[in-house]
Amino acid sequence: MSELLFAAAAGVPLAAGWSLHARRLRHRVEAARRDPLTGLWTRDAFTERAEHRILARFRPVAVYLVDLNRFKEINDTHGHAAGDAVIRATGERLAAWADYCSAVAGRLGGDEFAAIAWVYSPGHLNETLHLLSQALQQPVETAGHVLEVSASIGVVRAHPRTDQVELSELLRLADEQMYRAKRCAAPWSNALSLEKECPTVNGRRAGRSGTHGGTGAAA
């Protein structure tokens, strides 16, 4: 009996060590899936979590695509450090909004961000859009400069139980609406249906950066 108790006691530090190692490993894996500048989920990590929400088919969802306005101008005028400060501030504001709205948010790359949230009613969707737009339009102070910041937001609403659309399609539609908001100098644009409004090239809106022959200037 004493030998069994001794063996059990000897195993306690070993088990604790493995538990600590497992926690550290999980933290490292999660950190690797976070964007180092903003702390938001990376594209792949966001995609995984957003698809999980859609597959849950719990209630309607809204997919948001956010693109900063005149970001290249900020970089060219004030330098990349100022651009990084704007990206970092945008990430912090988007993260705070996501916590408040129980949303999932990520940085897709450059000055492009995405989020997905539950939708309880049309009024609730408008409220979340207003809150997000207000948060992203606050100035950013860096290196003695006060930079005016704004963003164009495209959003599309769908119910996974009946609409049966994939995340890639919802992001594509939200991208169309983001482009419309940018073109009209509006803070956001909300898709009224799940029908495409623009031609697609290589799975992206024609004219979007990364499509064949597109300049990307409008995005």
Side-chain angles (χ1 to χ4, degrees):
M1 183 68 178
S2 60
E3 292 178 354
L4 290 176
L5 290 175
F6 176 79
V12 169
L14 182 61
W18 276 111
S19 178
L20 178 60
H21 174 73
R23 285 199 301 272
R24 287 176 175 172
L25 184 59
R26 284 197 299 271
H27 291 160
R28 288 177 183 174
V29 170
E30 180 169 319
R33 295 169 66 79
R34 294 279 187 177
D35 173 59
L37 187 58
T38 64
L40 296 174
W41 295 114
T42 60
R43 177 186 288 270
D44 288 345
F46 167 77
T47 298
E48 179 182 317
R49 284 157 177 78
E51 288 178 341
H52 179 75
R53 285 211 174 190
I54 292 173
L55 290 173
R57 298 185 177 183
F58 184 56
R59 60 167 53 94
V61 297
V63 172
Y64 307 73
L65 196 72
V66 178
D67 192 86
L68 294 178
N69 298 324
R70 300 182 300 277
F71 180 70
K72 184 177 184 300
E73 180 181 321
I74 292 175
N75 263 337
D76 292 345
T77 303
H78 301 283
H80 290 288
D84 285 350
V86 170
I87 293 293
R88 188 180 301 109
T90 300
E92 291 172 354
R93 294 163 181 177
L94 184 56
W97 172 87
D99 286 342
Y100 181 79
C101 298
S102 298
V104 176
R107 182 186 180 194
L108 302 186
D111 60 327
E112 188 176 68
F113 303 82
I116 185 170
W118 302 121
V119 177
Y120 298 90
S121 69
H124 174 256
L125 177 57
N126 287 333
E127 180 184 353
T128 63
L129 278 166
H130 178 74
L131 290 173
L132 180 57
S133 178
Q134 288 294 105
L136 298 180
Q137 287 181 6
Q138 302 302 316
V140 174
E141 297 185 22
T142 178
H145 298 285
V146 179
L147 306 177
E148 296 297 325
V149 177
S150 66
S152 299
I153 306 169
V155 63
V156 59
R157 176 185 180 275
H159 199 315
R161 190 177 300 165
T162 56
D163 294 322
Q164 298 182 348
V165 290
E166 297 182 354
L167 176 64
S168 59
E169 183 66 14
L170 293 175
L171 285 170
R172 167 71 173 78
L173 293 169
D175 177 70
E176 284 186 358
Q177 296 305 313
M178 180 277 294
Y179 176 65
R180 167 178 282 184
K182 192 178 291 286
R183 187 177 56 197
C184 297
W188 70 74
S189 181
N190 185 1
L192 299 179
S193 73
L194 297 179
E195 295 295 324
K196 295 186 182 71
E197 299 179 2
C198 302
T200 298
V201 179
N202 297 331
R204 295 168 68 85
R205 169 172 48 81
R208 193 81 157 87
S209 177
T211 60
H212 180 68
T215 63

